[in-house]
Structures are given as C-alpha cells and as structure tokens.
Amino acid sequence: MTRKIRLGAFLPGGGQHIASWRHPDQPADGATSFAFHRRLAETAERGLFDAYFLADGLAVGFGGAREGGNARVAGFEPVTLFSALAPLTQHLGFIATSSTTYEEPYTTARKFASLDLISGGRAGWNVVTTTGDATAQNFNRDTQLPHADRYRRAHEHVDVVRKLWDSFEDDAFLRDKETGVFFDPEKLHDADHKGAHFSVKGPLNVPRSAQGHPVIVQAGQSEDGRDFAGAHAEVIFTAHQNVETAREFYADVKARARAHGRNPDHVLIMPGVSPFVGRTEDEAREKYDRLTGLILEEDGIGLLNGLTGGTLDLKGHDLDGPLPPAPPTEGMKSRQELIRRIADENGFTIRQLYRWVASARGHFTVIGSATQIADTLQEWFETGAADGFNILPPWLPTALDDFVDLVIPELQRRGLFRTAYEGRTLRENLGLPYPENRYSAARAASRAAE
Amino acid sequence: MTRKIRLGAFLPGGGQHIASWRHPDQPADGATSFAFHRRLAETAERGLFDAYFLADGLAVGFGGAREGGNARVAGFEPVTLFSALAPLTQHLGFIATSSTTYEEPYTTARKFASLDLISGGRAGWNVVTTTGDATAQNFNRDTQLPHADRYRRAHEHVDVVRKLWDSFEDDAFLRDKETGVFFDPEKLHDADHKGAHFSVKGPLNVPRSAQGHPVIVQAGQSEDGRDFAGAHAEVIFTAHQNVETAREFYADVKARARAHGRNPDHVLIMPGVSPFVGRTEDEAREKYDRLTGLILEEDGIGLLNGLTGGTLDLKGHDLDGPLPPAPPTEGMKSRQELIRRIADENGFTIRQLYRWVASARGHFTVIGSATQIADTLQEWFETGAADGFNILPPWLPTALDDFVDLVIPELQRRGLFRTAYEGRTLRENLGLPYPENRYSAARAASRAAE
C-alpha cells in the first residue's frame, strides 16, 4: 500500500483566525451552535478527513484575550461535543483535548473509553499539560505547576490511563444467559498503580472499543514535549513556519520514538497548515487580505500576549515598531519561542506579527491555488517533513469547503490521498496498529514459554 | 393548570434487576450497546417521560459484586452517553449522575453546561457524594471520606457550580460584526470562590443554555442527605417501601425547603417504582416469578453485600435463615438502613431478601395490571407522598414498553399525565422556574434601589 497523506480538521466553531467571526460567511454564534458543529463534521467527513480535532482550555482566557473581541471566549467541552457528533457521522475520527494536570487518570480513561465505545472506535485523546495561572486558579492553585513537573505528571497520567484501558481483556465477556456467567473475573484486571503523582487501583468500568485504545495525540514541541511525543504519541500535531524546521522536528521525534523501542511508522507527524485557497493565487490573496483587515488592534495585541504566556503587555507600544523583549514564563515554552522567532526572522513590526499569527496562531499559513497548496503539501510529505497535516481553515465553513472542494480532489488526482475510508476505526484509517491487551499478551507469552 | 405526575425513566442498558440480562428479551450486551440505549431513549420519549435518568459509579464494583454474574460491571460514562443521545431526541431530558467528591467544580460545571447546550436545555445533574473505598482507591485515597465530610464538600461543590453557571449573563453576547465587539466584558463574572474545600476563580467558559441552569437532582435520604435536598435539590429521587414512609419523607423535605426560603412546589419528590405490568395481575406475577427465578445465589449475596456498604459477607451463611447483624459503615447510610428494615419488617430470610431487593435495589416494587399500578401511583401522588415517580423497569426493553403501552395511557385517561410535552426544556416540562442570572438580578435590584 502506498503511503497516503493523513488529514486532521481543526474546526473550532468560533473559527481559527482571530477575526474569523467577523467574516460574512461565519455564523457569529458558531462557537456555541451545535448545528454549526454538525455541519462542520459532515463536511470533514465528506472530505474524507481522518479526524475532527479540537483544542481545549479550562479557563475563559484560553486562546486569546478576555476582551470583547474574542469569539472563543465560550464554547462546548470537546468530549461531550464529540460524543454528540459521533452518532451523526460514520467514519470521521474525533480527537479531543484533555488535561493531564487538572484531571484524574480514572476520569480521563473513562470519558475517552466511553467516547470510543459510543463512536465505534473513532476516539483520540490529545494529551495536554495545560498552561497558565488563570487555569490553575480554577483548580485550587494560585499559579501553574512548573513546566517540567507538568510533564512528569503527564507521563505518569498517560501510563495509568493506558493500563486502565486494558482492565477488561477482549474476551472477558461471556454473557452466557444459560449459566448466568456474564464475564470471566480472571480477565478483569486491577491497575494497582502507586506512583509519584497518582494512586489508582482500578479496574476501569468501561470495556475496550473496536480499536482497542483511543489514539494518543500530542502537540508539545519543547524538549520535554518531544520526549513525551517519542514515548507515547501516535499522532503529533506540530507548528512550523517552514519545511526545514519541520524536517528537523520530524527526524528528531522519529529518532526518539525508535529510542523508546517504538516503530517510527506508528508515530504520525502532522504539522498544522492554515490554507487560504483560491481558484487563482490572486483570489487566495484577496481572501487573506480580506480576513486580515478585520483584525481589531486590541485583539491583535491580546492575541500576542496570550500566545507568549500572558506576560507581554503591548498596550502603549508603537504597533509599527519592533516586539519588545520579555522573559520566558512557565507557560507553553515552545509557542513563546516560535512567536519571537517569526518576528525576528521576518523583521516584523508588532502589527505585522499579529496579522501573520492571527490566522493560525503560529501554524504555517499557505496562500494559493489548489495546485500551489497541493505542491507545498506534497513537498512536505515527500521530503521527510510530514506524514500528514492538521488543516486549520482560517474561517468557517467556507474555508473548509474550499479545501474539501478544491485541494482534496487535487491530492486525490496525485494519488496522495484516499478516495474512500479504508476502515471502520480511527486507527484503521490512520494505519495504526491495534494495541493488544497487555494482560492477554502476557498470558500468551507465558503460555508460549511453558 | 392541574398538577400532573412527573416521570423519570431509570434505564441502565444492562437492566435494573440483577438477573435482567438473563431475561430472553434483554440484549445480553445492552450495558455497552449504544444502539440499545438509543432504543430506550426513543421509547421513553414516545412515553412522554420527563427525563432519562442514569446512576453512576466510579469503580467496577458499583451496584453489585465484582463477580461473574454482574452485567453492570462495565458500561458508558453517563454524560458522554447522554450527549450522544441528545441530538437523536427532541424533548426528553437527561439526568446524569456525577460525584462531588471525586470531581472538581469547574469540571462538573463545564460538562453539564456543555450537555445542556448540546441538548437545548434538557440536562439535569444528579448530585452524589459517591460511597465506597473501592472508588476512593481509584482517586489517590485508601478509604472514603466520612459521610459528613462528603456532604460538607457537596454543599460547597454545588454552590460553586451554580455560581460558575452564571458566569455569562444572558445578554452578554453582542456578536456585532460591524464594531468587532463579540461580548460585553461587564457581563462576564468571576466566581472568586475561596472555601474550605475549593478555590475557584472562574469564570466558566460555557454560556447558559435555554433553561438557564441544568436541573439539580439528588437522592440522599440520611439526615445529611435530606438537609442537602432541602437546600439545593429541584428533583429528589427517593426509595420507599410503602406510602407511609414516603409521606413522612415528602413532608419533611418540603418543610426543609421552606426553611431554606425556597418554594416547596419547586422541589419535586419522585420515589422510585419498579413495575411488573401485566394485562392481568396473574400475568404480572408470572413476569415477577420468571425474573426472580433467574437470580443466582452468589449474585444475590453479592448484591446484599454491595447494598449494605460492602461489609456484609454472607458466604457460608444459611440463605434460608435471617440476616446477620453488621455494623453501619461510612458508605450510603440510608440504603444500609433501608435494606435491614425491609428484612426486619417482612421477616425475610437472606434468600427472600435478595429476591425482593434484586428487582429495584431497595425501591418500591409494584406488581399488577395497568389499573392496579395506576391506582397505586395515583394514591401516592394524591396523598402527599409523591410529585411523580422514577420508573425502574426491572428488565429492558419490554418492561419499559409495558409501562409505556399500558400504564401511561391509563394515567392519561385519568388526567394525571401529559398527552404532549409542554415545553422545549427539561425545566419547562417539569414546571420548574427559569433561574435568573444572579448578576443580572443584582444589577436590576441595584437599579431599582437608585
């Protein structure tokens, strides 16, 4: 089977670009409209995307300022939203973000196992450590945990969750009405975990789904984040401004996966791409200029502050001057560095910087015809920079429609993308292996050794 | 408007009765079948029930033994399940159980607000403190918190959740594409809660739904439980074996609500009823005997142990002798007392006791024709014992079908039950008031005082 591009659709109902809600095509109440999210899921499925992907935050300020122009100030909790969308779709996967810092492993394991069961094996968990003091203050703390502590907790959290997901072996359920034996207690297993951060006896009260475990997804790019990706992640969402840093990242994470004893082909690297698609390049540029022109100054400033850890107060600065220095914080380190690098490399003023990052919050923006965009994706895919992409349409739904109607057919013509879903589950569509239950595997191994 | 009976449908996919999964009509995999839960929701909606109600546990042993005969050993997490059922229904409410002991208020507030938004205002939260050391051991503890501590935490948890639900005033969202003002920051409010158990700054990142707040439901019957009900609950699920204790409970809780300054008409008391419905009384008795005959001895013993706090090990006891004494535990106190009272009042042997409680785990079992069952419900409803009932069909789906096809029409003929849904939201159907946003109310009050 030839290697195919994997595609995630990053579709917050409020739009990705900071001014997207002001776009004439975007419903102003999209962030809190279930009907609109349903329309987006149906379009993503029509486009044969692998999965619908949503970020998440546990505070109002997430992903932008708590000021009047932020359309993402309120919305759905992603696991409940995806549960509701699952029965309305048949093939699309659902990758929901959930925090290892502010949830307990039993709760995490349970809600994703339940979504996986509801969807017939189409769930993924985007593992995040969740940054920001505003969030910490919603969970009995004054300030966030240091970056390294968050990652230590994340490693343990994921280990416990995966163990809990194996609580029932696949053949544990006998359901014999005659004898009254519903399940085999020998095939139900405690996790018996006692670690530095968590103590969890188990077992989990949800069985495995058609895909065994939800797919583990991750997006950190710092040293800690890359190490975590190599150890655990099956899909990696990453932000790069050019193919060179993407290639470096790709090679590095695949090597880390290998060092952890994993098959690097089972670690899919999917950079974010924000596409402005036109029938011509000029039309695409017009779309870009139109949306960029809708950004309010205070929202642009608020966005930069949010993306750089909440310490960069640009009020009063000359927006047509350079970005002032600011110390790194314990927030999302890789994102802070990326934003500053974009400013430095391009010699951007503050205004130019926020205009550039507003479309994709640091992800790669491509502007062009379907042919040009397919050329770029193909180059990244064929030169060791990507196994696929997370597509972040800058506004919704028409920028998603453009991608589905113009770019997908071009990728299909080139043999780079599927023309029908291959499987029933997210894992099958992504070409990821079915994780054998650890206890069944241990029993088989001990039987073989006898 | 004449007062009408309110009806909840308590429909665990694995069946309510301990042996229900062995019944020929019950799908053996019902507990983990989404299609089966969908069928149940559709039937409940056809029967014009106010809400679909689900209990919940955070450990495998919940609601029965961890032994081979327990069909409820694994299932869906209720909030994700109800989110998935919400878009497939139009009127039915969804009351999901969630724990104040093992969740954080921000998380609780958020998931219920999200379900409420997805369902268009049809969510309810059944507040539980969650008993049992097995659960505690899944959440970093060795033993459960003492009963009184759990209730203190529950009071504070609910207070914080309700405050978070008011974070955005109803008119906070302007969504003015022209000016770029999405919301009015003056109408977004921090909770600023600092209490004995929780410190939560807020605001919540989900807006209010069409019904303002999810409906608060509760089921504790101990002294602490009744006090909690009087202070917070809008719907109360309660277990009584006869109309006299139900009347005592009804009067007591309504008085407590009044003492808390609440309108007692806005506190709906709904005892659980497990109906065996036949076209004749004999047919109903045959249905009862058929199901009861399917109980395995070890499952009956395990059930009694589970219901009495996990300390009553009856293995080796003469099943045709009396229930041995056992000390009360820090578990669900009211349920332990109830089970013992049933044994004492009826002079039951162990076997007779488990046969009796197996159908409804301590709730009232009625066996008879539609007329007889309607007589009983009418008596309870008209003599100060109930505002409605939670119907617990002993097996599924046919015992639910029996109730919908035989008892509901009889209640309608008597003018005791609706013939069509009155409103769009769960609150509207239950006749509960729309909770005004506390900040809007304070602003209106201060304006009136000027």
Side-chain angles (χ1 to χ4, degrees), chain B residues 18 20 28 100 109 111 124 134 160 209 211 226 251 259 262 288 345 364 396:
Chain B
I18 195 173
S20 55
T100 51
K111 71 182 180 181
V160 179
S209 79
Q211 68 172 351
R226 289 177 182 215
R262 302 177 62 204
Y288 178 77
E345 286 176 3
F364 186 51
L396 293 166

Side-chain angles (χ1 to χ4, degrees), chain A residues 20-32 34 38 56-60 62 65-88 102-107 110-111 114-115 117-118 134 136-142 164 168 173 175-185 188-190 194 197-207 294 296 299, chain B residues 20-32 34 38 56-60 62 65-88 102-107 110-111 114-115 117-118 134 136-142 164 168 173 175-185 188-190 194 197-207 294 296 299:
Chain A
S20 55
W21 72 272
R22 298 184 67 195
H23 192 284
D25 294 351
Q26 174 104 25
D29 68 348
T32 49
F34 180 71
R38 178 177 185 165
D56 191 42
L58 300 167
V60 152
F62 167 72
R66 209 181 126 172
E67 275 147 28
N70 183 0
R72 299 168 79 178
V73 74
F76 298 96
E77 184 282 326
V79 177
T80 44
L81 176 63
F82 282 155
S83 294
L85 293 172
L88 306 174
Y102 299 110
E103 297 243 23
E104 290 293 322
Y106 200 88
T107 312
R110 193 160 179 247
K111 70 182 181 183
S114 191
L115 173 61
L117 212 54
I118 288 166
Q137 288 158 13
N138 288 333
F139 292 88
N140 312 313
R141 294 182 54 88
D142 290 329
L164 286 169
F168 287 96
F173 296 95
R175 302 190 183 102
D176 186 332
K177 290 194 179 196
E178 236 5 85
T179 61
V181 178
F182 189 77
F183 72 100
D184 178 354
L188 171 60
H189 303 274
D190 285 343
K194 281 195 189 295
H197 302 85
F198 304 108
S199 166
V200 183
K201 183 151 192 299
L204 186 68
N205 54 2
V206 187
L294 294 171
L296 296 182
D299 293 336
Chain B
S20 55
W21 72 273
R22 299 184 66 195
H23 192 285
D25 294 351
Q26 173 104 26
D29 68 347
T32 48
F34 179 71
R38 178 178 184 166
D56 192 42
L58 301 167
V60 152
F62 167 71
R66 209 181 126 172
E67 275 146 28
N70 184 359
R72 300 168 79 178
V73 74
F76 296 97
E77 186 280 325
V79 177
T80 43
L81 176 63
F82 282 155
S83 294
L85 292 173
L88 307 174
Y102 299 110
E103 298 242 22
E104 289 293 323
Y106 200 89
T107 312
R110 192 158 180 249
K111 71 182 180 181
S114 190
L115 173 60
L117 212 54
I118 288 166
Q137 288 158 14
N138 289 333
F139 292 88
N140 311 314
R141 295 182 54 89
D142 290 328
L164 287 169
F168 287 96
F173 296 94
R175 302 190 183 103
D176 186 332
K177 290 194 178 196
E178 234 7 84
T179 62
V181 179
F182 188 77
F183 72 100
D184 178 354
L188 171 61
H189 303 274
D190 284 344
K194 281 196 189 295
H197 302 85
F198 304 108
S199 166
V200 183
K201 184 153 191 299
L204 187 68
N205 54 3
V206 188
L294 294 172
L296 296 182
D299 292 337

Side-chain angles (χ1 to χ4, degrees), chain B residues 220-295:
Chain B
Q221 305 193 73
S222 63
E223 184 60 28
D224 287 336
R226 289 177 182 215
D227 185 57
F228 185 93
H232 302 288
E234 301 175 276
V235 170
I236 293 157
F237 184 25
T238 175
H240 296 280
Q241 288 293 312
N242 58 65
V243 71
E244 289 79 22
T245 68
R247 277 187 207 125
E248 180 278 320
F249 179 84
Y250 186 98
D252 179 55
V253 172
K254 296 266 178 174
R256 287 174 196 251
R258 215 176 281 113
H260 280 283
R262 302 177 62 204
N263 179 344
D265 292 345
H266 299 158
V267 180
L268 303 173
I269 298 183
M270 297 171 61
V273 172
S274 179
F276 289 82
V277 189
R279 278 161 302 177
T280 63
E281 184 179 339
D282 279 354
E283 193 186 69
R285 293 227 158 262
E286 275 162 32
K287 290 181 179 182
Y288 178 77
D289 291 339
R290 179 183 200 177
L291 190 57
T292 303
L294 294 172
I295 306 170

Side-chain angles (χ1 to χ4, degrees), chain B residues 283-319:
Chain B
E283 193 186 69
R285 293 227 158 262
E286 275 162 32
K287 290 181 179 182
Y288 178 77
D289 291 339
R290 179 183 200 177
L291 190 57
T292 303
L294 294 172
I295 306 170
L296 296 182
E297 282 184 2
E298 58 267 37
D299 292 337
I301 289 173
L303 174 68
L304 290 182
N305 184 28
L307 288 176
T308 54
T311 58
L312 194 59
D313 188 358
L314 296 169
K315 272 178 208 145
H317 279 267
D318 176 8
L319 299 187

